[in-house]
Amino acid sequence: MSFSWLTCSLLLGTLCAGYSLGEAETRECVYYNDNWRTERTNQSGFERCEGEKDKRLHCYASWLNSSGTIKLVKKGCWLDDFNCYDRQECVSMEENPQVFFCCCEENYCNERFTHLPDLIGTRVKIRPPPRVPSLLNVLVYSLLPLCVLSLALVLALWMYRHRKPPYGHVDLSEDPGPTPPSPLVGLKPLQLLEIKARGRFGCVWKAQLMSEYVAVKIFPVQDKQSWQNERDIFMTPGMRHENILRYIAAEKHGTNLETELWLITEFHERGSLTDHLKGNTVTWTELCHLAETMSRGLAYLHEDIPSYKGEGPKPTIAHRDFKSKNVMLRDDLTAVIGDFGLAVRFEPGKPPGDTHGQVGTRRYMAPEVLEGAINFQRDSFLRIDMYAMGLVLWELVSRCSENDGTVGEYMLPFEDEIGQHPSLEDLQDVVVHKKMRPAIKDSWLKHPGLSQMCETIEECWDHDAEARLSAGCVEERISQIARTISSTTSDSPVSIVTSLINEDLPPKESST
């Protein structure tokens, strides 16, 4: 037995040495882009592959097969992917994919590509060209079968327990729900690139889907309810809006305890409003644009819209976890609302579903939520969102560079009063019993626009829920304030104040 394991050890060393000597190194690949006009690239040629030193590089090809007619989509370099290791030919093994994809190692190995379904009994079986026997094969076949079997079992067990593929491929056939209408659904390949955020739900990856960057939110199987609820909210008729995060697909990967639930949406490089405010101040113009687009998105979410353009009616939706971290920013600082894992729909004639009281992020909970005194009606949940909207608007104003005072470091609501990790009891004492709110500084009130914005904020977080403004009213007010107040307030402060007095702001509304 000791001799057998010694022989196995020698084999392992030989295998490693042989692999390091014989590993195909990819430096250049054949390049092609069918969308070269719209993406402004070369149509064809060769591509020099670049990557991290400890990562392997590959070539790939993707194509369509329409009734026997082959249409090439793309060719080029591919990042480190264990599915491509030691493949000398570019061969697609899937039976009938929507987009064929293959990858391989060695320079220009993607010049030719083949479809070889992994099935027995098909009419046409394309066989890859025979491979030239290598020194590695000779060594393997010359050793004892028992040793080879032992090593294979050990390596297979180790790889099963430890491997975590650095990249995944979209497989929409695993989607347990109906497929939403989207031109990107079913396209391959998708590569996970880097983790952008972590939270109680799991993590968010930046990924690449063909030529587009997307966000992949990965839930553990324990959070299936949150994943399913967010998917259902996204698939509600009428949910496509410029200030609502664009949904692409939802998928299930793996089995049993290894199951991962994926939610694929558009990606925004700027990240969340929280991320932006931590590292940047905002001008008066930027503040108005952020606040107006954010309130427009929430107003649309809250709105009950009749059927149009062939879609069913869009019901009223309460977000229930509205906060600056769930507001994404486009490159032009347009706000986009996302994260609907706790959202609830109010459809006529149907129960609203799970409407537990104390849900969401503790810091942004309205007084009635903190004290467990919610009236479980549609308008009550919308007013809870509006309280949180007031806190997010306060975060924006606190980082505005237009006030007379020095802009301080970014702070979360109530961070100055009760710290970064308040308990439920802390918030109940401050928000419910003492009726405190984040401090509004005197310097903010010296700017005509910020002064009006602070008045709007106070009407959003009013202790009396029925006295709070609706999202539509907030959008209209901010739009009117932005039109009235010039960003250069120091030029003619008298005329600005006069125009504010002469032009009435929209009246206060409840969320009806």
Side-chain angles (χ1 to χ4, degrees), residues 378-413:
R378 186 198 76 155
D379 289 352
S380 299
F381 286 101
L382 303 189
R383 291 163 184 156
I384 290 168
D385 281 351
M386 294 314 300
Y387 171 87
M389 164 72 84
L391 296 179
V392 176
L393 288 174
W394 175 89
E395 292 177 65
L396 269 171
V397 171
S398 72
R399 296 290 286 161
C400 182
S401 59
E402 298 287 330
N403 64 68
D404 291 342
T406 303
V407 181
E409 293 294 322
Y410 169 74
M411 299 187 77
L412 289 165

PDB file of all heavy atoms in Angstrom, residues 378-413:
ATOM      1  N   ARG A 378     -53.800  50.475   2.554  1.00  0.00           N
ATOM      2  CA  ARG A 378     -52.893  50.898   1.493  1.00  0.00           C
ATOM      3  C   ARG A 378     -52.224  52.233   1.813  1.00  0.00           C
ATOM      4  O   ARG A 378     -50.992  52.354   1.771  1.00  0.00           O
ATOM      5  CB  ARG A 378     -53.662  51.009   0.176  1.00  0.00           C
ATOM      6  CG  ARG A 378     -52.787  51.313  -1.029  1.00  0.00           C
ATOM      7  CD  ARG A 378     -53.588  51.844  -2.198  1.00  0.00           C
ATOM      8  NE  ARG A 378     -53.963  53.240  -1.956  1.00  0.00           N
ATOM      9  CZ  ARG A 378     -54.224  54.113  -2.936  1.00  0.00           C
ATOM     10  NH1 ARG A 378     -54.149  53.739  -4.184  1.00  0.00           N
ATOM     11  NH2 ARG A 378     -54.559  55.346  -2.654  1.00  0.00           N
ATOM     12  N   ASP A 379     -53.007  53.255   2.149  1.00  0.00           N
ATOM     13  CA  ASP A 379     -52.450  54.593   2.360  1.00  0.00           C
ATOM     14  C   ASP A 379     -51.479  54.637   3.523  1.00  0.00           C
ATOM     15  O   ASP A 379     -50.523  55.426   3.518  1.00  0.00           O
ATOM     16  CB  ASP A 379     -53.585  55.602   2.591  1.00  0.00           C
ATOM     17  CG  ASP A 379     -54.380  55.871   1.318  1.00  0.00           C
ATOM     18  OD1 ASP A 379     -53.948  55.386   0.263  1.00  0.00           O
ATOM     19  OD2 ASP A 379     -55.416  56.546   1.395  1.00  0.00           O
ATOM     20  N   SER A 380     -51.694  53.776   4.516  1.00  0.00           N
ATOM     21  CA  SER A 380     -50.788  53.742   5.667  1.00  0.00           C
ATOM     22  C   SER A 380     -49.386  53.334   5.239  1.00  0.00           C
ATOM     23  O   SER A 380     -48.387  53.903   5.696  1.00  0.00           O
ATOM     24  CB  SER A 380     -51.318  52.763   6.727  1.00  0.00           C
ATOM     25  OG  SER A 380     -52.587  53.174   7.192  1.00  0.00           O
ATOM     26  N   PHE A 381     -49.276  52.369   4.352  1.00  0.00           N
ATOM     27  CA  PHE A 381     -47.965  51.910   3.897  1.00  0.00           C
ATOM     28  C   PHE A 381     -47.299  52.951   2.996  1.00  0.00           C
ATOM     29  O   PHE A 381     -46.072  53.108   3.014  1.00  0.00           O
ATOM     30  CB  PHE A 381     -48.104  50.571   3.167  1.00  0.00           C
ATOM     31  CG  PHE A 381     -48.368  49.413   4.094  1.00  0.00           C
ATOM     32  CD1 PHE A 381     -49.641  48.904   4.250  1.00  0.00           C
ATOM     33  CD2 PHE A 381     -47.337  48.843   4.826  1.00  0.00           C
ATOM     34  CE1 PHE A 381     -49.895  47.847   5.114  1.00  0.00           C
ATOM     35  CE2 PHE A 381     -47.568  47.786   5.687  1.00  0.00           C
ATOM     36  CZ  PHE A 381     -48.852  47.289   5.830  1.00  0.00           C
ATOM     37  N   LEU A 382     -48.105  53.672   2.219  1.00  0.00           N
ATOM     38  CA  LEU A 382     -47.523  54.716   1.370  1.00  0.00           C
ATOM     39  C   LEU A 382     -46.973  55.852   2.230  1.00  0.00           C
ATOM     40  O   LEU A 382     -45.930  56.436   1.919  1.00  0.00           O
ATOM     41  CB  LEU A 382     -48.579  55.257   0.399  1.00  0.00           C
ATOM     42  CG  LEU A 382     -49.254  54.241  -0.532  1.00  0.00           C
ATOM     43  CD1 LEU A 382     -50.108  54.960  -1.572  1.00  0.00           C
ATOM     44  CD2 LEU A 382     -48.229  53.341  -1.212  1.00  0.00           C
ATOM     45  N   ARG A 383     -47.661  56.182   3.311  1.00  0.00           N
ATOM     46  CA  ARG A 383     -47.195  57.249   4.201  1.00  0.00           C
ATOM     47  C   ARG A 383     -45.916  56.850   4.940  1.00  0.00           C
ATOM     48  O   ARG A 383     -45.106  57.710   5.291  1.00  0.00           O
ATOM     49  CB  ARG A 383     -48.307  57.603   5.187  1.00  0.00           C
ATOM     50  CG  ARG A 383     -49.484  58.299   4.513  1.00  0.00           C
ATOM     51  CD  ARG A 383     -50.725  58.274   5.377  1.00  0.00           C
ATOM     52  NE  ARG A 383     -51.862  58.872   4.662  1.00  0.00           N
ATOM     53  CZ  ARG A 383     -53.132  58.594   4.926  1.00  0.00           C
ATOM     54  NH1 ARG A 383     -53.440  57.722   5.869  1.00  0.00           N
ATOM     55  NH2 ARG A 383     -54.090  59.181   4.244  1.00  0.00           N
ATOM     56  N   ILE A 384     -45.756  55.550   5.190  1.00  0.00           N
ATOM     57  CA  ILE A 384     -44.508  55.060   5.793  1.00  0.00           C
ATOM     58  C   ILE A 384     -43.340  55.308   4.833  1.00  0.00           C
ATOM     59  O   ILE A 384     -42.245  55.724   5.240  1.00  0.00           O
ATOM     60  CB  ILE A 384     -44.644  53.561   6.141  1.00  0.00           C
ATOM     61  CG1 ILE A 384     -45.607  53.381   7.313  1.00  0.00           C
ATOM     62  CG2 ILE A 384     -43.282  52.946   6.467  1.00  0.00           C
ATOM     63  CD1 ILE A 384     -46.040  51.945   7.545  1.00  0.00           C
ATOM     64  N   ASP A 385     -43.565  55.053   3.537  1.00  0.00           N
ATOM     65  CA  ASP A 385     -42.536  55.361   2.527  1.00  0.00           C
ATOM     66  C   ASP A 385     -42.193  56.846   2.531  1.00  0.00           C
ATOM     67  O   ASP A 385     -41.028  57.236   2.377  1.00  0.00           O
ATOM     68  CB  ASP A 385     -43.032  54.971   1.127  1.00  0.00           C
ATOM     69  CG  ASP A 385     -42.933  53.480   0.853  1.00  0.00           C
ATOM     70  OD1 ASP A 385     -42.319  52.764   1.671  1.00  0.00           O
ATOM     71  OD2 ASP A 385     -43.462  53.040  -0.186  1.00  0.00           O
ATOM     72  N   MET A 386     -43.207  57.699   2.727  1.00  0.00           N
ATOM     73  CA  MET A 386     -42.973  59.142   2.668  1.00  0.00           C
ATOM     74  C   MET A 386     -42.167  59.647   3.854  1.00  0.00           C
ATOM     75  O   MET A 386     -41.392  60.601   3.735  1.00  0.00           O
ATOM     76  CB  MET A 386     -44.304  59.893   2.567  1.00  0.00           C
ATOM     77  CG  MET A 386     -45.065  59.638   1.272  1.00  0.00           C
ATOM     78  SD  MET A 386     -44.001  59.739  -0.197  1.00  0.00           S
ATOM     79  CE  MET A 386     -43.417  61.431  -0.072  1.00  0.00           C
ATOM     80  N   TYR A 387     -42.332  59.011   5.008  1.00  0.00           N
ATOM     81  CA  TYR A 387     -41.492  59.366   6.158  1.00  0.00           C
ATOM     82  C   TYR A 387     -40.014  59.098   5.802  1.00  0.00           C
ATOM     83  O   TYR A 387     -39.142  59.938   6.035  1.00  0.00           O
ATOM     84  CB  TYR A 387     -41.895  58.537   7.381  1.00  0.00           C
ATOM     85  CG  TYR A 387     -40.948  58.693   8.551  1.00  0.00           C
ATOM     86  CD1 TYR A 387     -41.098  59.713   9.480  1.00  0.00           C
ATOM     87  CD2 TYR A 387     -39.880  57.811   8.723  1.00  0.00           C
ATOM     88  CE1 TYR A 387     -40.222  59.868  10.545  1.00  0.00           C
ATOM     89  CE2 TYR A 387     -38.990  57.951   9.786  1.00  0.00           C
ATOM     90  CZ  TYR A 387     -39.172  58.976  10.694  1.00  0.00           C
ATOM     91  OH  TYR A 387     -38.290  59.122  11.742  1.00  0.00           O
ATOM     92  N   ALA A 388     -39.763  57.916   5.217  1.00  0.00           N
ATOM     93  CA  ALA A 388     -38.386  57.581   4.816  1.00  0.00           C
ATOM     94  C   ALA A 388     -37.879  58.534   3.741  1.00  0.00           C
ATOM     95  O   ALA A 388     -36.697  58.903   3.729  1.00  0.00           O
ATOM     96  CB  ALA A 388     -38.330  56.135   4.319  1.00  0.00           C
ATOM     97  N   MET A 389     -38.759  58.952   2.828  1.00  0.00           N
ATOM     98  CA  MET A 389     -38.381  59.932   1.806  1.00  0.00           C
ATOM     99  C   MET A 389     -37.875  61.223   2.445  1.00  0.00           C
ATOM    100  O   MET A 389     -36.888  61.824   2.001  1.00  0.00           O
ATOM    101  CB  MET A 389     -39.576  60.209   0.890  1.00  0.00           C
ATOM    102  CG  MET A 389     -39.453  61.460   0.027  1.00  0.00           C
ATOM    103  SD  MET A 389     -38.268  61.291  -1.320  1.00  0.00           S
ATOM    104  CE  MET A 389     -39.295  60.494  -2.548  1.00  0.00           C
ATOM    105  N   GLY A 390     -38.545  61.669   3.522  1.00  0.00           N
ATOM    106  CA  GLY A 390     -38.090  62.865   4.224  1.00  0.00           C
ATOM    107  C   GLY A 390     -36.676  62.722   4.741  1.00  0.00           C
ATOM    108  O   GLY A 390     -35.862  63.654   4.646  1.00  0.00           O
ATOM    109  N   LEU A 391     -36.334  61.544   5.291  1.00  0.00           N
ATOM    110  CA  LEU A 391     -34.983  61.314   5.802  1.00  0.00           C
ATOM    111  C   LEU A 391     -33.952  61.317   4.672  1.00  0.00           C
ATOM    112  O   LEU A 391     -32.845  61.840   4.826  1.00  0.00           O
ATOM    113  CB  LEU A 391     -34.925  59.981   6.559  1.00  0.00           C
ATOM    114  CG  LEU A 391     -35.782  59.886   7.836  1.00  0.00           C
ATOM    115  CD1 LEU A 391     -35.652  58.501   8.465  1.00  0.00           C
ATOM    116  CD2 LEU A 391     -35.394  60.958   8.840  1.00  0.00           C
ATOM    117  N   VAL A 392     -34.299  60.738   3.529  1.00  0.00           N
ATOM    118  CA  VAL A 392     -33.363  60.698   2.400  1.00  0.00           C
ATOM    119  C   VAL A 392     -33.152  62.108   1.842  1.00  0.00           C
ATOM    120  O   VAL A 392     -32.021  62.488   1.489  1.00  0.00           O
ATOM    121  CB  VAL A 392     -33.872  59.742   1.299  1.00  0.00           C
ATOM    122  CG1 VAL A 392     -32.944  59.777   0.086  1.00  0.00           C
ATOM    123  CG2 VAL A 392     -33.974  58.314   1.833  1.00  0.00           C
ATOM    124  N   LEU A 393     -34.208  62.902   1.777  1.00  0.00           N
ATOM    125  CA  LEU A 393     -34.052  64.293   1.336  1.00  0.00           C
ATOM    126  C   LEU A 393     -33.157  65.063   2.308  1.00  0.00           C
ATOM    127  O   LEU A 393     -32.360  65.913   1.897  1.00  0.00           O
ATOM    128  CB  LEU A 393     -35.427  64.964   1.236  1.00  0.00           C
ATOM    129  CG  LEU A 393     -36.330  64.512   0.076  1.00  0.00           C
ATOM    130  CD1 LEU A 393     -37.704  65.143   0.199  1.00  0.00           C
ATOM    131  CD2 LEU A 393     -35.704  64.862  -1.274  1.00  0.00           C
ATOM    132  N   TRP A 394     -33.272  64.772   3.607  1.00  0.00           N
ATOM    133  CA  TRP A 394     -32.389  65.408   4.596  1.00  0.00           C
ATOM    134  C   TRP A 394     -30.929  65.029   4.317  1.00  0.00           C
ATOM    135  O   TRP A 394     -30.036  65.888   4.418  1.00  0.00           O
ATOM    136  CB  TRP A 394     -32.793  64.967   6.006  1.00  0.00           C
ATOM    137  CG  TRP A 394     -31.873  65.481   7.071  1.00  0.00           C
ATOM    138  CD1 TRP A 394     -31.962  66.665   7.746  1.00  0.00           C
ATOM    139  CD2 TRP A 394     -30.695  64.826   7.577  1.00  0.00           C
ATOM    140  NE1 TRP A 394     -30.924  66.793   8.640  1.00  0.00           N
ATOM    141  CE2 TRP A 394     -30.125  65.682   8.557  1.00  0.00           C
ATOM    142  CE3 TRP A 394     -30.066  63.613   7.309  1.00  0.00           C
ATOM    143  CZ2 TRP A 394     -28.961  65.350   9.263  1.00  0.00           C
ATOM    144  CZ3 TRP A 394     -28.910  63.274   8.000  1.00  0.00           C
ATOM    145  CH2 TRP A 394     -28.378  64.136   8.963  1.00  0.00           C
ATOM    146  N   GLU A 395     -30.668  63.773   3.961  1.00  0.00           N
ATOM    147  CA  GLU A 395     -29.301  63.359   3.623  1.00  0.00           C
ATOM    148  C   GLU A 395     -28.770  64.178   2.453  1.00  0.00           C
ATOM    149  O   GLU A 395     -27.602  64.591   2.446  1.00  0.00           O
ATOM    150  CB  GLU A 395     -29.281  61.862   3.272  1.00  0.00           C
ATOM    151  CG  GLU A 395     -29.558  60.931   4.442  1.00  0.00           C
ATOM    152  CD  GLU A 395     -29.600  59.473   4.005  1.00  0.00           C
ATOM    153  OE1 GLU A 395     -28.557  58.958   3.564  1.00  0.00           O
ATOM    154  OE2 GLU A 395     -30.684  58.865   4.082  1.00  0.00           O
ATOM    155  N   LEU A 396     -29.618  64.402   1.460  1.00  0.00           N
ATOM    156  CA  LEU A 396     -29.209  65.198   0.300  1.00  0.00           C
ATOM    157  C   LEU A 396     -28.872  66.637   0.693  1.00  0.00           C
ATOM    158  O   LEU A 396     -27.819  67.170   0.325  1.00  0.00           O
ATOM    159  CB  LEU A 396     -30.330  65.208  -0.735  1.00  0.00           C
ATOM    160  CG  LEU A 396     -30.328  64.122  -1.811  1.00  0.00           C
ATOM    161  CD1 LEU A 396     -31.624  64.165  -2.596  1.00  0.00           C
ATOM    162  CD2 LEU A 396     -29.146  64.282  -2.738  1.00  0.00           C
ATOM    163  N   VAL A 397     -29.769  67.257   1.452  1.00  0.00           N
ATOM    164  CA  VAL A 397     -29.551  68.648   1.851  1.00  0.00           C
ATOM    165  C   VAL A 397     -28.295  68.781   2.707  1.00  0.00           C
ATOM    166  O   VAL A 397     -27.545  69.763   2.595  1.00  0.00           O
ATOM    167  CB  VAL A 397     -30.791  69.180   2.603  1.00  0.00           C
ATOM    168  CG1 VAL A 397     -30.512  70.552   3.215  1.00  0.00           C
ATOM    169  CG2 VAL A 397     -31.986  69.267   1.658  1.00  0.00           C
ATOM    170  N   SER A 398     -28.032  67.787   3.556  1.00  0.00           N
ATOM    171  CA  SER A 398     -26.870  67.861   4.444  1.00  0.00           C
ATOM    172  C   SER A 398     -25.546  67.858   3.688  1.00  0.00           C
ATOM    173  O   SER A 398     -24.510  68.237   4.235  1.00  0.00           O
ATOM    174  CB  SER A 398     -26.896  66.691   5.434  1.00  0.00           C
ATOM    175  OG  SER A 398     -26.582  65.465   4.792  1.00  0.00           O
ATOM    176  N   ARG A 399     -25.567  67.444   2.435  1.00  0.00           N
ATOM    177  CA  ARG A 399     -24.335  67.391   1.631  1.00  0.00           C
ATOM    178  C   ARG A 399     -24.353  68.413   0.494  1.00  0.00           C
ATOM    179  O   ARG A 399     -23.539  68.327  -0.436  1.00  0.00           O
ATOM    180  CB  ARG A 399     -24.135  65.988   1.059  1.00  0.00           C
ATOM    181  CG  ARG A 399     -23.908  64.918   2.110  1.00  0.00           C
ATOM    182  CD  ARG A 399     -22.555  65.070   2.783  1.00  0.00           C
ATOM    183  NE  ARG A 399     -21.486  64.638   1.898  1.00  0.00           N
ATOM    184  CZ  ARG A 399     -20.205  64.973   2.043  1.00  0.00           C
ATOM    185  NH1 ARG A 399     -19.843  65.782   3.014  1.00  0.00           N
ATOM    186  NH2 ARG A 399     -19.292  64.523   1.205  1.00  0.00           N
ATOM    187  N   CYS A 400     -25.267  69.382   0.572  1.00  0.00           N
ATOM    188  CA  CYS A 400     -25.344  70.407  -0.479  1.00  0.00           C
ATOM    189  C   CYS A 400     -24.294  71.482  -0.235  1.00  0.00           C
ATOM    190  O   CYS A 400     -24.162  72.002   0.883  1.00  0.00           O
ATOM    191  CB  CYS A 400     -26.738  71.027  -0.511  1.00  0.00           C
ATOM    192  SG  CYS A 400     -26.939  72.259  -1.821  1.00  0.00           S
ATOM    193  N   SER A 401     -23.571  71.863  -1.254  1.00  0.00           N
ATOM    194  CA  SER A 401     -22.471  72.833  -1.146  1.00  0.00           C
ATOM    195  C   SER A 401     -22.934  74.275  -1.272  1.00  0.00           C
ATOM    196  O   SER A 401     -22.119  75.190  -1.232  1.00  0.00           O
ATOM    197  CB  SER A 401     -21.420  72.537  -2.226  1.00  0.00           C
ATOM    198  OG  SER A 401     -22.008  72.607  -3.517  1.00  0.00           O
ATOM    199  N   GLU A 402     -24.256  74.493  -1.403  1.00  0.00           N
ATOM    200  CA  GLU A 402     -24.759  75.844  -1.643  1.00  0.00           C
ATOM    201  C   GLU A 402     -25.090  76.617  -0.361  1.00  0.00           C
ATOM    202  O   GLU A 402     -25.452  77.780  -0.407  1.00  0.00           O
ATOM    203  CB  GLU A 402     -26.022  75.785  -2.515  1.00  0.00           C
ATOM    204  CG  GLU A 402     -25.804  75.199  -3.893  1.00  0.00           C
ATOM    205  CD  GLU A 402     -25.041  76.129  -4.826  1.00  0.00           C
ATOM    206  OE1 GLU A 402     -25.158  77.351  -4.666  1.00  0.00           O
ATOM    207  OE2 GLU A 402     -24.329  75.622  -5.712  1.00  0.00           O
ATOM    208  N   ASN A 403     -25.032  75.954   0.809  1.00  0.00           N
ATOM    209  CA  ASN A 403     -25.395  76.679   2.024  1.00  0.00           C
ATOM    210  C   ASN A 403     -24.212  77.506   2.524  1.00  0.00           C
ATOM    211  O   ASN A 403     -23.072  77.304   2.126  1.00  0.00           O
ATOM    212  CB  ASN A 403     -25.900  75.709   3.102  1.00  0.00           C
ATOM    213  CG  ASN A 403     -24.824  74.745   3.564  1.00  0.00           C
ATOM    214  OD1 ASN A 403     -23.853  75.147   4.203  1.00  0.00           O
ATOM    215  ND2 ASN A 403     -24.981  73.462   3.236  1.00  0.00           N
ATOM    216  N   ASP A 404     -24.485  78.413   3.469  1.00  0.00           N
ATOM    217  CA  ASP A 404     -23.456  79.344   3.958  1.00  0.00           C
ATOM    218  C   ASP A 404     -22.431  78.660   4.858  1.00  0.00           C
ATOM    219  O   ASP A 404     -21.310  79.135   4.993  1.00  0.00           O
ATOM    220  CB  ASP A 404     -24.122  80.499   4.729  1.00  0.00           C
ATOM    221  CG  ASP A 404     -24.900  81.405   3.790  1.00  0.00           C
ATOM    222  OD1 ASP A 404     -24.633  81.340   2.572  1.00  0.00           O
ATOM    223  OD2 ASP A 404     -25.767  82.149   4.264  1.00  0.00           O
ATOM    224  N   GLY A 405     -22.821  77.581   5.504  1.00  0.00           N
ATOM    225  CA  GLY A 405     -21.899  76.899   6.406  1.00  0.00           C
ATOM    226  C   GLY A 405     -21.013  75.906   5.684  1.00  0.00           C
ATOM    227  O   GLY A 405     -21.169  75.632   4.500  1.00  0.00           O
ATOM    228  N   THR A 406     -20.054  75.348   6.395  1.00  0.00           N
ATOM    229  CA  THR A 406     -19.177  74.325   5.840  1.00  0.00           C
ATOM    230  C   THR A 406     -19.930  73.005   5.770  1.00  0.00           C
ATOM    231  O   THR A 406     -20.621  72.631   6.720  1.00  0.00           O
ATOM    232  CB  THR A 406     -17.923  74.151   6.715  1.00  0.00           C
ATOM    233  OG1 THR A 406     -17.264  75.405   6.832  1.00  0.00           O
ATOM    234  CG2 THR A 406     -16.982  73.115   6.120  1.00  0.00           C
ATOM    235  N   VAL A 407     -19.807  72.304   4.651  1.00  0.00           N
ATOM    236  CA  VAL A 407     -20.479  71.016   4.498  1.00  0.00           C
ATOM    237  C   VAL A 407     -19.726  69.981   5.329  1.00  0.00           C
ATOM    238  O   VAL A 407     -18.531  69.753   5.127  1.00  0.00           O
ATOM    239  CB  VAL A 407     -20.524  70.581   3.020  1.00  0.00           C
ATOM    240  CG1 VAL A 407     -21.247  69.242   2.887  1.00  0.00           C
ATOM    241  CG2 VAL A 407     -21.211  71.641   2.181  1.00  0.00           C
ATOM    242  N   GLY A 408     -20.420  69.330   6.249  1.00  0.00           N
ATOM    243  CA  GLY A 408     -19.794  68.339   7.109  1.00  0.00           C
ATOM    244  C   GLY A 408     -19.668  66.988   6.437  1.00  0.00           C
ATOM    245  O   GLY A 408     -20.088  66.802   5.289  1.00  0.00           O
ATOM    246  N   GLU A 409     -19.087  66.042   7.164  1.00  0.00           N
ATOM    247  CA  GLU A 409     -18.977  64.683   6.652  1.00  0.00           C
ATOM    248  C   GLU A 409     -20.372  64.069   6.511  1.00  0.00           C
ATOM    249  O   GLU A 409     -21.306  64.435   7.217  1.00  0.00           O
ATOM    250  CB  GLU A 409     -18.136  63.827   7.611  1.00  0.00           C
ATOM    251  CG  GLU A 409     -16.674  64.239   7.691  1.00  0.00           C
ATOM    252  CD  GLU A 409     -15.939  64.012   6.374  1.00  0.00           C
ATOM    253  OE1 GLU A 409     -16.223  62.986   5.722  1.00  0.00           O
ATOM    254  OE2 GLU A 409     -15.130  64.862   5.984  1.00  0.00           O
ATOM    255  N   TYR A 410     -20.483  63.127   5.604  1.00  0.00           N
ATOM    256  CA  TYR A 410     -21.778  62.466   5.402  1.00  0.00           C
ATOM    257  C   TYR A 410     -22.165  61.685   6.655  1.00  0.00           C
ATOM    258  O   TYR A 410     -21.358  60.974   7.243  1.00  0.00           O
ATOM    259  CB  TYR A 410     -21.709  61.520   4.207  1.00  0.00           C
ATOM    260  CG  TYR A 410     -22.911  60.617   4.100  1.00  0.00           C
ATOM    261  CD1 TYR A 410     -24.143  61.110   3.661  1.00  0.00           C
ATOM    262  CD2 TYR A 410     -22.846  59.271   4.461  1.00  0.00           C
ATOM    263  CE1 TYR A 410     -25.259  60.295   3.560  1.00  0.00           C
ATOM    264  CE2 TYR A 410     -23.955  58.442   4.360  1.00  0.00           C
ATOM    265  CZ  TYR A 410     -25.159  58.968   3.923  1.00  0.00           C
ATOM    266  OH  TYR A 410     -26.263  58.162   3.836  1.00  0.00           O
ATOM    267  N   MET A 411     -23.418  61.826   7.054  1.00  0.00           N
ATOM    268  CA  MET A 411     -23.937  61.091   8.201  1.00  0.00           C
ATOM    269  C   MET A 411     -25.315  60.543   7.863  1.00  0.00           C
ATOM    270  O   MET A 411     -26.106  61.172   7.140  1.00  0.00           O
ATOM    271  CB  MET A 411     -24.044  62.000   9.439  1.00  0.00           C
ATOM    272  CG  MET A 411     -22.726  62.579   9.908  1.00  0.00           C
ATOM    273  SD  MET A 411     -22.856  63.480  11.480  1.00  0.00           S
ATOM    274  CE  MET A 411     -22.939  62.117  12.625  1.00  0.00           C
ATOM    275  N   LEU A 412     -25.605  59.362   8.374  1.00  0.00           N
ATOM    276  CA  LEU A 412     -26.921  58.774   8.208  1.00  0.00           C
ATOM    277  C   LEU A 412     -27.924  59.500   9.100  1.00  0.00           C
ATOM    278  O   LEU A 412     -27.536  60.155  10.076  1.00  0.00           O
ATOM    279  CB  LEU A 412     -26.878  57.293   8.592  1.00  0.00           C
ATOM    280  CG  LEU A 412     -26.124  56.368   7.631  1.00  0.00           C
ATOM    281  CD1 LEU A 412     -25.850  55.031   8.297  1.00  0.00           C
ATOM    282  CD2 LEU A 412     -26.922  56.166   6.346  1.00  0.00           C
ATOM    283  N   PRO A 413     -29.213  59.422   8.799  1.00  0.00           N
ATOM    284  CA  PRO A 413     -30.213  60.032   9.679  1.00  0.00           C
ATOM    285  C   PRO A 413     -30.094  59.483  11.105  1.00  0.00           C
ATOM    286  O   PRO A 413     -29.940  58.268  11.291  1.00  0.00           O
ATOM    287  CB  PRO A 413     -31.545  59.615   9.037  1.00  0.00           C
ATOM    288  CG  PRO A 413     -31.214  59.356   7.606  1.00  0.00           C
ATOM    289  CD  PRO A 413     -29.828  58.815   7.597  1.00  0.00           C
TER     290      PRO A 413
END
